[in-house]
Amino acid sequence: MYVTAPLPATRTQEIVPSKPNITHQRTMTIKPGKHLFLEGDPADRIYEVASGVLRLTRIMEDGRRQVIAFGYPGDTVGFPSDGLYHTDCDALMPTTLVAHRRKTLESGEGDTALHQRLLQAALREISAMQDHFMMLGRKSSIEKLASFLMALTDRVGDRLGDFDQVKLPMTRADIADFLGLTTETVSRTFTQLRKSQIIAIDHINTVIILKPLTLRCIAEGDDNI
Amino acid sequence: MYVTAPLPATRTQEIVPSKPNITHQRTMTIKPGKHLFLEGDPADRIYEVASGVLRLTRIMEDGRRQVIAFGYPGDTVGFPSDGLYHTDCDALMPTTLVAHRRKTLESGEGDTALHQRLLQAALREISAMQDHFMMLGRKSSIEKLASFLMALTDRVGDRLGDFDQVKLPMTRADIADFLGLTTETVSRTFTQLRKSQIIAIDHINTVIILKPLTLRCIAEGDDNI
DNA sequence: CGACGCGTTGATATGGCTCAAGAGTGGTGG
DNA sequence: CCACCACTCTTGAGCCATATCAACGCGTCG
């Protein structure tokens, strides 16, 4: 049903260590389309994204897909539960990661400061997911897309004169599966925002936010523009 | 819009300490309808539910509500992010709690075993929320309700001869706001499951699962009954 | 050049929402 | 003990937002 087919599992063998000769290997690179881990894999590592973008997904047997999150630089992915990963994770572009032992999070042995950082990342993750709930459960398609664009712009947007600009490394299908919509609805909603002069679209994957305040109002559900 | 109005804030003053004379107060009781904390409150405590049921909610300005989770015995609520709570929390019935200092989770000073337990609870929470995402974003109303009933039955159901039985301490509106539906749709879906002889309903708030396997299939999206 | 993947747009279908009415259910006070 | 009231739940009718099905354009790659 969903265009983006579950890819055949190509995993760790595809990960290219950046500094192959150091004993305590921690930094690595992953190529677009390659999986960092799959749902059900033993979760021995937790990863901090240094550059690039990751995609965390869950897939039902019949192919329905939910994008749980996109992992941007500064994000931490791969939190274990019962020692396993509970999502698939792959890269949307060449992505560099710093890997940490699961023990660093779970027992705190060794690097206390790192343990703290990973723990805080887990707590932020819980908070971010709560936002996402409201979006999935209670917002209209235009509110969903506006929320998504605002969140991404706040996080990784660029100032462009009077406007904001944000690059979208993911496909419309990814956005749809993140927001609980179809690609068609996402596309129509982009068009609607574009025709309302709230955004402009440059080469499909770059969005210019012409009216950030208006977009934020839409995201919050202020229907009186 | 939603029937259950945001209640006036009645908070900690309503919490009844069970053992008022002990210095290191940790166990407490909260009455139905009373708030344990509100979104934006400083998050100085993390709570383990010992008995009863809590409700974690988020509310938009226009009244749209999302139930983030129900807190059953064994669950931990109140994970802080930036030192604040990010949901409201109130009780659906008389509920007893064990309170822990935020520091116990964050710094791990003192009780290492407890620190471990709270950390694991946070990781389980992340995993549980990922399930919830799939439900909110990609499931039909009947799949949502079936998932909800199965999860609750697995967690707190009773064996009743050949059947399973589960009590629902929350209203239809709560279930609707948890599943991203309306009360009418929840009610109609209950009726549909009842007419299909998959469940029976006893006094509104007790559900008997007549065909657990069928219900589980529906929850997973196996449409071929 | 042809094939494919992705995005857009159009036409139509439909699942869940909205609005409305009525049927339990429980609590309260006379 | 009953009458009343407030609240929740259920059911019906109609509608609307989004899904579905389909066609096509565009860019990329072999």
Side-chain angles (χ1 to χ4, degrees), chain A residues 2 58-61 64-66 79-81 86-87 105-107 115-116 119-120 122-124 126-127 129-134 136-138 143 176-177 180-181 220-222, chain B residues 2 58-61 64-66 80-81 86-87 105-107 115-116 119-120 122-124 126-127 129-134 136-138 143 176-177 180-181 220-222:
Chain A
Y2 292 95
R58 271 202 143 172
I59 298 181
M60 286 172 65
E61 290 161 16
R64 278 180 282 182
R65 193 181 72 145
Q66 178 70 42
F79 294 111
S81 182
H86 282 72
T87 65
L105 171 63
E106 296 200 334
S107 75
H115 171 77
Q116 290 292 319
L119 175 58
Q120 289 300 327
L123 294 175
R124 273 199 313 279
I126 289 174
S127 176
M129 289 173 98
Q130 290 169 353
D131 288 338
H132 197 176
F133 276 137
M134 180 61 86
L136 280 175
R138 289 297 176 211
E143 288 169 350
D177 287 343
L181 299 169
E220 307 293 335
D222 288 10
Chain B
Y2 292 94
R58 272 203 143 170
I59 298 181
M60 285 172 66
E61 289 160 16
R64 279 180 281 181
R65 192 180 72 146
Q66 178 70 42
S81 182
H86 283 73
T87 65
L105 171 64
E106 295 199 335
S107 75
H115 171 77
Q116 290 292 319
L119 175 58
Q120 288 302 325
L123 294 176
R124 272 199 312 279
I126 290 175
S127 175
M129 289 172 99
Q130 290 170 351
D131 288 339
H132 197 177
F133 277 137
M134 181 61 87
L136 280 175
R138 289 298 176 208
E143 288 169 352
D177 287 342
L181 299 170
E220 306 294 335
D222 288 10

Coordinates of all heavy atoms in Angstrom, one line a residue, chain A residues 2 58-61 64-66 79-81 86-87 105-107 115-116 119-120 122-124 126-127 129-134 136-138 143 176-177 180-181 220-222, chain B residues 2 58-61 64-66 80-81 86-87 105-107 115-116 119-120 122-124 126-127 129-134 136-138 143 176-177 180-181 220-222:
Chain A
Y2 N 1.8 1.3 0.9 CA 2.7 2.5 1.0 C 3.8 2.3 0.1 O 4.5 1.3 0.0 CB 3.1 2.8 2.4 CG 1.9 3.2 3.2 CD1 1.2 2.3 4.0 CD2 1.5 4.5 3.2 CE1 0.1 2.6 4.6 CE2 0.4 4.9 3.8 CZ -0.3 4.0 4.6 OH -1.5 4.3 5.2
R58 N 8.1 2.1 12.3 CA 7.5 0.9 12.6 C 6.6 0.4 11.5 O 5.9 1.2 10.9 CB 6.7 1.0 13.9 CG 7.5 0.8 15.1 CD 6.5 0.5 16.2 NE 7.1 -0.4 17.1 CZ 6.5 -0.8 18.2 NH1 5.3 -0.2 18.5 NH2 7.0 -1.6 19.0
I59 N 6.5 -0.9 11.3 CA 5.8 -1.4 10.1 C 4.9 -2.5 10.6 O 5.3 -3.4 11.3 CB 6.7 -1.8 9.0 CG1 7.5 -0.7 8.5 CG2 5.9 -2.5 7.9 CD1 8.5 -1.0 7.4
M60 N 3.6 -2.4 10.2 CA 2.7 -3.5 10.5 C 2.8 -4.6 9.4 O 3.3 -4.4 8.3 CB 1.2 -3.0 10.6 CG 0.9 -2.2 11.8 SD -0.7 -1.4 11.8 CE -1.8 -2.8 11.8
E61 N 2.3 -5.8 9.8 CA 2.4 -6.9 8.8 C 1.8 -6.6 7.5 O 2.4 -7.0 6.5 CB 1.7 -8.1 9.4 CG 2.4 -8.7 10.7 CD 1.4 -9.6 11.5 OE1 0.4 -9.9 11.0 OE2 1.8 -9.9 12.6
R64 N 1.3 -1.3 6.5 CA 1.1 0.1 7.1 C 2.3 0.5 7.9 O 2.8 -0.3 8.6 CB -0.2 0.1 8.0 CG -1.5 0.2 7.2 CD -2.7 0.2 8.1 NE -3.0 -1.1 8.6 CZ -4.1 -1.4 9.3 NH1 -4.8 -0.4 9.7 NH2 -4.3 -2.6 9.7
R65 N 2.6 1.8 7.7 CA 3.9 2.2 8.3 C 3.6 3.5 9.1 O 2.8 4.3 8.8 CB 4.9 2.5 7.2 CG 6.3 2.7 7.6 CD 7.2 3.1 6.4 NE 7.0 4.4 5.9 CZ 7.9 5.2 5.4 NH1 9.1 4.8 5.3 NH2 7.6 6.4 5.0
Q66 N 4.4 3.6 10.2 CA 4.3 4.8 11.0 C 5.8 5.3 11.1 O 6.6 4.5 11.6 CB 3.7 4.6 12.4 CG 3.7 5.8 13.3 CD 2.7 6.8 12.8 OE1 1.6 6.5 12.4 NE2 3.1 8.1 12.8
F79 N 17.1 3.8 22.0 CA 16.8 3.5 23.4 C 16.2 2.1 23.5 O 15.3 1.8 22.8 CB 15.8 4.5 24.0 CG 16.4 5.9 24.1 CD1 15.9 6.9 23.4 CD2 17.4 6.1 25.0 CE1 16.4 8.2 23.5 CE2 18.0 7.4 25.1 CZ 17.5 8.4 24.3
P80 N 16.8 1.2 24.3 CA 16.4 -0.2 24.4 C 15.2 -0.3 25.3 O 15.0 0.5 26.2 CB 17.6 -0.8 25.0 CG 18.2 0.2 25.9 CD 17.9 1.5 25.2
S81 N 14.4 -1.3 25.1 CA 13.4 -1.8 26.0 C 13.5 -3.3 26.0 O 13.4 -3.9 25.0 CB 12.0 -1.2 25.6 OG 11.1 -1.6 26.6
H86 N 12.9 -1.2 19.3 CA 11.5 -1.4 19.0 C 11.0 -0.6 17.8 O 9.8 -0.5 17.5 CB 10.7 -1.0 20.2 CG 10.6 -2.0 21.3 ND1 11.7 -2.3 22.1 CD2 9.7 -2.9 21.6 CE1 11.4 -3.3 22.9 NE2 10.2 -3.7 22.6
T87 N 12.0 -0.1 17.0 CA 11.7 0.5 15.7 C 12.8 0.0 14.7 O 13.8 -0.5 15.1 CB 11.7 2.0 15.8 OG1 13.0 2.4 16.0 CG2 10.8 2.5 16.8
L105 N 24.2 4.0 29.4 CA 22.9 4.5 29.8 C 22.3 3.8 31.0 O 21.8 4.4 32.0 CB 21.9 4.4 28.7 CG 20.4 4.8 29.0 CD1 20.3 6.2 29.5 CD2 19.5 4.5 27.8
E106 N 22.4 2.5 31.0 CA 21.7 1.7 31.9 C 22.3 1.6 33.3 O 21.7 1.6 34.3 CB 21.4 0.3 31.4 CG 20.5 0.3 30.2 CD 19.9 -1.0 29.9 OE1 20.4 -2.0 30.2 OE2 18.8 -1.0 29.2
S107 N 23.7 1.5 33.3 CA 24.3 1.4 34.6 C 25.0 2.6 35.1 O 25.2 2.8 36.3 CB 25.3 0.2 34.6 OG 26.4 0.5 34.0
H115 N 26.4 9.5 30.9 CA 25.2 8.8 31.4 C 24.1 9.8 31.6 O 23.0 9.7 31.2 CB 25.6 8.1 32.7 CG 24.4 7.6 33.4 ND1 23.7 6.5 33.1 CD2 23.7 8.1 34.5 CE1 22.7 6.3 33.9 NE2 22.7 7.2 34.8
Q116 N 24.5 10.9 32.2 CA 23.5 12.1 32.4 C 23.0 12.5 31.0 O 21.8 12.7 30.9 CB 24.3 13.3 33.0 CG 24.6 13.0 34.5 CD 23.4 13.0 35.3 OE1 22.5 13.7 35.2 NE2 23.4 12.0 36.3
L119 N 20.5 10.0 29.6 CA 19.3 10.0 30.3 C 18.4 11.2 30.0 O 17.2 11.1 29.8 CB 19.7 10.0 31.8 CG 18.5 10.1 32.8 CD1 17.5 9.0 32.6 CD2 19.1 10.1 34.2
Q120 N 19.1 12.4 30.0 CA 18.3 13.6 29.6 C 17.7 13.5 28.2 O 16.6 14.0 27.9 CB 19.2 14.9 29.7 CG 19.5 15.2 31.2 CD 18.3 15.5 32.0 OE1 17.3 16.0 31.5 NE2 18.3 15.2 33.3
A122 N 16.7 10.7 26.8 CA 15.6 9.9 26.9 C 14.3 10.6 27.5 O 13.2 10.5 27.0 CB 15.9 8.7 27.9
L123 N 14.6 11.5 28.4 CA 13.5 12.3 29.0 C 12.9 13.3 28.0 O 11.7 13.5 27.9 CB 14.0 13.0 30.3 CG 14.3 12.1 31.4 CD1 14.9 12.9 32.6 CD2 13.1 11.3 31.9
R124 N 13.8 13.9 27.2 CA 13.4 14.8 26.2 C 12.6 14.0 25.1 O 11.6 14.5 24.6 CB 14.6 15.5 25.5 CG 15.0 16.8 26.1 CD 15.9 17.6 25.2 NE 16.9 16.8 24.5 CZ 18.0 16.5 25.0 NH1 18.3 16.9 26.2 NH2 18.9 15.8 24.3
I126 N 10.7 11.5 25.6 CA 9.3 11.2 26.1 C 8.5 12.5 25.9 O 7.3 12.4 25.4 CB 9.4 10.9 27.6 CG1 10.0 9.4 27.8 CG2 8.0 10.9 28.3 CD1 10.2 9.0 29.2
S127 N 9.1 13.6 26.2 CA 8.3 14.9 26.1 C 8.0 15.2 24.6 O 6.8 15.5 24.3 CB 9.2 16.0 26.6 OG 8.6 17.3 26.4
M129 N 7.6 13.0 22.2 CA 6.6 12.1 21.8 C 5.2 12.5 22.3 O 4.2 12.2 21.6 CB 6.9 10.7 22.3 CG 8.1 10.0 21.6 SD 8.6 8.5 22.4 CE 7.8 7.3 21.3
Q130 N 5.1 13.1 23.4 CA 3.8 13.6 23.9 C 3.2 14.7 23.0 O 2.0 14.7 22.7 CB 3.9 14.1 25.3 CG 4.2 13.0 26.3 CD 4.5 13.4 27.7 OE1 4.8 14.6 27.9 NE2 4.6 12.5 28.6
D131 N 4.1 15.6 22.4 CA 3.7 16.5 21.4 C 3.1 15.8 20.2 O 2.1 16.2 19.7 CB 4.8 17.4 21.0 CG 5.3 18.4 22.0 OD1 4.5 18.7 22.9 OD2 6.4 18.8 21.9
H132 N 3.8 14.8 19.8 CA 3.5 14.1 18.6 C 2.1 13.4 18.7 O 1.3 13.3 17.8 CB 4.6 13.0 18.3 CG 4.6 12.5 16.9 ND1 5.5 11.6 16.5 CD2 3.7 12.6 15.9 CE1 5.2 11.2 15.2 NE2 4.2 11.8 14.9
F133 N 1.8 13.0 20.0 CA 0.5 12.3 20.2 C -0.6 13.3 19.9 O -1.6 12.9 19.2 CB 0.4 12.0 21.7 CG 1.0 10.7 22.0 CD1 1.7 10.5 23.2 CD2 0.8 9.6 21.2 CE1 2.3 9.3 23.5 CE2 1.3 8.4 21.5 CZ 2.1 8.2 22.7
M134 N -0.5 14.5 20.4 CA -1.6 15.5 20.2 C -1.8 15.7 18.7 O -2.9 15.8 18.2 CB -1.2 16.8 20.9 CG -2.2 17.9 20.8 SD -3.8 17.5 21.5 CE -3.5 18.0 23.2
L136 N -1.0 13.6 16.2 CA -1.6 12.4 15.5 C -3.1 12.3 15.8 O -3.9 11.9 15.0 CB -0.9 11.1 15.9 CG 0.5 10.9 15.2 CD1 1.1 9.7 15.8 CD2 0.2 10.7 13.7
G137 N -3.4 12.5 17.1 CA -4.7 12.2 17.5 C -5.8 13.2 17.3 O -6.9 12.9 17.1
R138 N -5.4 14.5 17.3 CA -6.4 15.5 17.4 C -6.3 16.7 16.4 O -7.1 17.6 16.4 CB -6.3 16.1 18.8 CG -6.9 15.2 19.9 CD -8.4 14.9 19.6 NE -9.0 14.0 20.5 CZ -10.0 13.2 20.1 NH1 -10.4 13.2 18.8 NH2 -10.6 12.4 20.9
E143 N -3.2 21.4 10.1 CA -2.6 21.7 11.4 C -1.4 20.7 11.6 O -0.3 21.2 12.1 CB -3.6 21.4 12.6 CG -4.6 22.5 12.7 CD -5.7 22.1 13.7 OE1 -5.8 21.0 14.1 OE2 -6.6 23.0 13.9
A176 N 3.9 11.9 5.3 CA 2.6 11.3 5.5 C 2.6 10.3 6.6 O 1.7 10.3 7.5 CB 2.1 10.7 4.2
D177 N 3.6 9.4 6.6 CA 3.6 8.3 7.6 C 4.0 8.9 8.9 O 3.7 8.3 10.0 CB 4.6 7.2 7.2 CG 4.0 6.4 6.0 OD1 2.8 6.4 5.8 OD2 4.8 5.7 5.4
G180 N 0.5 10.6 9.9 CA -0.8 9.8 9.9 C -1.7 10.2 8.8 O -2.9 10.3 8.9
L181 N -1.1 10.5 7.6 CA -1.9 11.0 6.5 C -1.5 10.1 5.3 O -0.7 9.2 5.4 CB -1.7 12.4 6.2 CG -2.0 13.5 7.3 CD1 -1.5 14.8 6.9 CD2 -3.5 13.5 7.4
E220 N -1.1 25.7 15.9 CA -1.7 25.7 17.2 C -3.2 25.6 17.2 O -3.9 25.4 18.3 CB -1.4 27.0 18.0 CG 0.1 27.4 18.0 CD 0.9 26.4 18.8 OE1 0.3 25.7 19.7 OE2 2.1 26.2 18.6
G221 N -3.8 25.7 16.0 CA -5.3 25.5 15.9 C -6.0 26.8 16.0 O -7.3 26.8 16.1
D222 N -5.3 27.9 16.0 CA -6.0 29.2 15.9 C -6.6 29.4 14.5 O -6.0 29.8 13.5 CB -5.0 30.4 16.0 CG -4.6 30.5 17.5 OD1 -4.9 29.6 18.3 OD2 -3.9 31.5 17.8
Chain B
Y2 N -15.1 18.9 23.9 CA -15.1 17.7 24.6 C -15.8 17.8 26.0 O -15.6 18.8 26.7 CB -13.7 17.2 24.8 CG -13.2 16.8 23.4 CD1 -12.5 17.6 22.7 CD2 -13.6 15.5 22.9 CE1 -12.1 17.3 21.4 CE2 -13.2 15.2 21.7 CZ -12.4 16.1 20.9 OH -12.0 15.7 19.7
R58 N -3.2 15.9 27.8 CA -2.7 17.2 27.3 C -3.9 17.9 26.7 O -4.7 17.2 26.0 CB -1.7 17.0 26.2 CG -0.3 16.9 26.8 CD 0.6 17.3 25.7 NE 1.7 18.0 26.2 CZ 2.7 18.3 25.4 NH1 2.8 17.8 24.2 NH2 3.7 19.0 25.8
I59 N -4.0 19.2 26.8 CA -5.2 19.9 26.3 C -4.7 21.1 25.5 O -3.8 21.8 25.9 CB -6.1 20.4 27.5 CG1 -6.6 19.1 28.3 CG2 -7.2 21.2 27.0 CD1 -7.5 19.5 29.4
M60 N -5.4 21.2 24.3 CA -5.1 22.4 23.5 C -5.9 23.6 23.9 O -7.0 23.4 24.6 CB -5.3 22.1 22.0 CG -4.3 21.2 21.4 SD -4.7 20.6 19.7 CE -4.7 22.2 18.8
E61 N -5.5 24.8 23.5 CA -6.3 26.0 23.9 C -7.8 25.9 23.6 O -8.6 26.3 24.4 CB -5.7 27.2 23.2 CG -4.3 27.6 23.7 CD -3.5 28.4 22.8 OE1 -4.2 29.0 21.8 OE2 -2.3 28.6 22.9
R64 N -9.5 20.8 22.7 CA -9.2 19.5 22.2 C -8.3 18.8 23.2 O -7.3 19.4 23.7 CB -8.6 19.5 20.8 CG -9.6 19.7 19.7 CD -8.9 19.7 18.4 NE -8.3 21.0 18.1 CZ -7.7 21.3 16.9 NH1 -7.6 20.4 16.0 NH2 -7.2 22.5 16.7
R65 N -8.5 17.5 23.4 CA -7.8 16.8 24.5 C -7.2 15.5 23.9 O -7.8 14.9 23.1 CB -8.8 16.5 25.6 CG -8.1 16.0 26.9 CD -9.1 15.8 28.0 NE -9.9 14.5 27.7 CZ -10.3 13.7 28.6 NH1 -10.1 13.9 29.9 NH2 -11.0 12.6 28.2
Q66 N -6.1 15.2 24.4 CA -5.5 13.9 24.1 C -5.1 13.2 25.4 O -4.4 13.8 26.2 CB -4.2 14.1 23.2 CG -3.5 12.8 22.9 CD -4.2 12.0 21.9 OE1 -4.8 12.5 20.9 NE2 -4.3 10.7 22.1
P80 N 10.3 14.2 34.1 CA 10.4 15.6 33.8 C 11.2 15.9 32.5 O 11.9 15.0 32.0 CB 11.3 16.1 35.0 CG 12.2 14.9 35.3 CD 11.3 13.7 35.0
S81 N 10.9 17.0 31.9 CA 11.7 17.5 30.8 C 11.9 18.9 31.0 O 11.0 19.7 31.1 CB 11.0 17.2 29.4 OG 11.8 17.6 28.4
H86 N 5.0 17.8 31.5 CA 4.5 18.1 30.2 C 3.1 17.6 29.9 O 2.6 17.6 28.8 CB 5.5 17.7 29.1 CG 6.6 18.6 29.0 ND1 7.6 18.6 29.9 CD2 6.9 19.6 28.1 CE1 8.5 19.6 29.6 NE2 8.1 20.2 28.5
T87 N 2.5 17.1 31.0 CA 1.0 16.7 30.9 C 0.4 17.0 32.2 O 1.0 17.3 33.2 CB 0.9 15.1 30.7 OG1 1.3 14.5 31.9 CG2 1.7 14.6 29.5
L105 N 16.2 9.9 39.9 CA 16.2 9.5 38.5 C 17.4 10.2 37.9 O 18.2 9.6 37.1 CB 14.9 9.9 37.8 CG 15.0 9.7 36.3 CD1 15.2 8.3 35.9 CD2 13.7 10.2 35.6
E106 N 17.6 11.5 38.1 CA 18.5 12.3 37.3 C 20.0 12.1 37.7 O 20.8 12.1 36.8 CB 18.1 13.7 37.3 CG 16.7 13.9 36.6 CD 16.5 15.4 36.2 OE1 17.1 16.3 36.8 OE2 15.7 15.6 35.3
S107 N 20.2 12.0 39.0 CA 21.6 12.0 39.3 C 22.0 10.6 39.8 O 23.2 10.2 39.8 CB 22.0 13.0 40.4 OG 21.4 12.6 41.7
H115 N 17.2 4.1 41.2 CA 17.6 4.8 40.0 C 17.5 3.9 38.8 O 16.9 4.3 37.8 CB 19.1 5.3 40.2 CG 19.6 5.9 38.9 ND1 19.3 7.2 38.5 CD2 20.5 5.4 38.0 CE1 20.0 7.4 37.4 NE2 20.7 6.4 37.1
Q116 N 18.0 2.7 38.9 CA 17.8 1.8 37.8 C 16.4 1.5 37.5 O 16.0 1.5 36.3 CB 18.4 0.4 38.3 CG 19.9 0.4 38.4 CD 20.6 0.6 37.1 OE1 20.2 0.0 36.1 NE2 21.6 1.4 37.0
L119 N 14.8 4.5 35.7 CA 15.4 4.6 34.3 C 14.7 3.5 33.4 O 14.3 3.8 32.3 CB 16.9 4.3 34.4 CG 17.6 4.3 33.1 CD1 17.4 5.6 32.3 CD2 19.1 4.1 33.3
Q120 N 14.6 2.3 33.9 CA 14.0 1.3 33.1 C 12.5 1.6 32.8 O 12.0 1.3 31.7 CB 14.1 -0.1 33.8 CG 15.5 -0.7 33.8 CD 16.0 -0.9 32.4 OE1 15.3 -1.2 31.5 NE2 17.4 -0.7 32.3
A122 N 11.4 4.6 32.4 CA 11.4 5.6 31.4 C 11.6 5.0 30.0 O 11.0 5.3 29.0 CB 12.5 6.6 31.6
L123 N 12.5 4.0 29.9 CA 12.7 3.3 28.7 C 11.5 2.5 28.2 O 11.1 2.5 27.0 CB 13.9 2.3 28.8 CG 15.3 3.1 29.0 CD1 16.4 2.1 29.2 CD2 15.6 4.0 27.8
R124 N 10.8 1.8 29.2 CA 9.6 1.1 28.8 C 8.5 2.1 28.3 O 7.8 1.8 27.4 CB 9.0 0.4 30.0 CG 9.6 -1.0 30.2 CD 8.7 -1.9 31.1 NE 8.3 -1.1 32.3 CZ 9.1 -1.0 33.4 NH1 10.3 -1.6 33.4 NH2 8.7 -0.4 34.5
I126 N 9.0 4.9 26.7 CA 9.3 5.2 25.3 C 8.8 4.1 24.4 O 8.1 4.4 23.4 CB 10.8 5.4 25.1 CG1 11.3 6.7 25.8 CG2 11.2 5.4 23.6 CD1 12.8 6.9 25.8
S127 N 9.0 2.9 24.8 CA 8.6 1.8 23.9 C 7.1 1.7 23.8 O 6.5 1.5 22.8 CB 9.1 0.5 24.5 OG 8.6 -0.6 23.8
M129 N 5.0 4.1 24.1 CA 4.5 5.3 23.3 C 4.6 5.0 21.9 O 3.8 5.4 21.1 CB 5.2 6.5 23.7 CG 4.9 7.1 25.1 SD 5.9 8.4 25.7 CE 4.8 9.8 25.3
Q130 N 5.7 4.2 21.5 CA 5.8 3.9 20.1 C 4.7 3.0 19.6 O 4.2 3.2 18.5 CB 7.2 3.2 19.9 CG 8.3 4.2 20.0 CD 9.7 3.5 20.1 OE1 9.8 2.3 20.2 NE2 10.7 4.3 20.1
D131 N 4.2 2.1 20.4 CA 3.0 1.3 20.1 C 1.8 2.2 19.9 O 1.1 2.1 18.9 CB 2.6 0.4 21.2 CG 3.6 -0.8 21.3 OD1 4.3 -1.1 20.3 OD2 3.7 -1.4 22.4
H132 N 1.7 3.2 20.8 CA 0.6 4.1 20.8 C 0.6 4.9 19.5 O -0.5 5.2 18.9 CB 0.6 5.0 22.0 CG -0.7 5.7 22.3 ND1 -0.8 6.5 23.4 CD2 -1.8 5.8 21.7 CE1 -2.0 7.0 23.4 NE2 -2.7 6.6 22.4
F133 N 1.7 5.2 19.0 CA 1.8 6.0 17.7 C 1.2 5.3 16.6 O 0.4 5.8 15.8 CB 3.3 6.2 17.3 CG 3.9 7.4 18.0 CD1 5.2 7.3 18.5 CD2 3.2 8.6 18.1 CE1 5.8 8.4 19.1 CE2 3.8 9.6 18.7 CZ 5.1 9.5 19.2
M134 N 1.6 4.0 16.4 CA 1.0 3.2 15.3 C -0.5 3.2 15.4 O -1.2 3.3 14.4 CB 1.6 1.8 15.4 CG 1.1 0.8 14.4 SD 1.6 1.4 12.7 CE 3.2 0.7 12.6
L136 N -2.5 5.4 16.9 CA -3.1 6.7 16.6 C -3.0 7.1 15.1 O -4.0 7.6 14.5 CB -2.4 7.8 17.4 CG -2.9 8.0 18.8 CD1 -2.0 9.1 19.5 CD2 -4.3 8.4 18.9
G137 N -1.9 6.7 14.5 CA -1.7 7.2 13.1 C -2.3 6.3 12.1 O -2.6 6.8 11.0
R138 N -2.3 5.0 12.3 CA -2.6 4.1 11.2 C -3.7 3.1 11.4 O -4.0 2.3 10.5 CB -1.3 3.4 10.9 CG -0.2 4.2 10.2 CD -0.7 4.7 8.9 NE 0.2 5.7 8.2 CZ -0.3 6.6 7.4 NH1 -1.6 6.8 7.2 NH2 0.6 7.4 6.8
E143 N -9.9 -1.3 15.0 CA -8.5 -1.8 15.4 C -8.0 -1.1 16.6 O -7.4 -1.7 17.5 CB -7.6 -1.6 14.2 CG -7.8 -2.5 13.0 CD -7.0 -2.1 11.8 OE1 -6.4 -1.0 11.8 OE2 -7.0 -2.8 10.8
A176 N -12.1 7.7 24.0 CA -12.0 8.4 22.7 C -10.8 9.3 22.6 O -10.1 9.3 21.6 CB -13.3 9.2 22.6
D177 N -10.5 10.0 23.7 CA -9.4 10.9 23.7 C -8.1 10.2 23.7 O -7.0 10.7 23.3 CB -9.5 11.9 24.8 CG -10.6 13.0 24.6 OD1 -11.0 13.1 23.4 OD2 -11.0 13.6 25.6
G180 N -7.9 8.9 19.9 CA -8.1 9.8 18.8 C -9.4 9.7 18.1 O -9.5 9.8 16.8
L181 N -10.5 9.4 18.8 CA -11.8 9.2 18.2 C -12.8 10.1 19.0 O -12.4 10.9 19.9 CB -12.3 7.8 18.3 CG -11.4 6.7 17.7 CD1 -11.8 5.3 18.1 CD2 -11.5 6.8 16.1
E220 N -4.5 -6.5 15.4 CA -3.3 -6.5 14.6 C -3.5 -6.2 13.2 O -2.6 -6.0 12.4 CB -2.7 -7.9 14.7 CG -2.4 -8.5 16.1 CD -1.3 -7.7 16.8 OE1 -0.5 -7.1 16.1 OE2 -1.3 -7.7 18.0
G221 N -4.8 -6.1 12.8 CA -5.2 -5.7 11.4 C -5.4 -6.9 10.5 O -5.5 -6.7 9.3
D222 N -5.5 -8.1 11.1 CA -5.8 -9.3 10.3 C -7.3 -9.2 10.0 O -8.2 -9.6 10.7 CB -5.6 -10.6 11.1 CG -4.2 -10.9 11.2 OD1 -3.3 -10.0 10.9 OD2 -3.8 -12.0 11.6

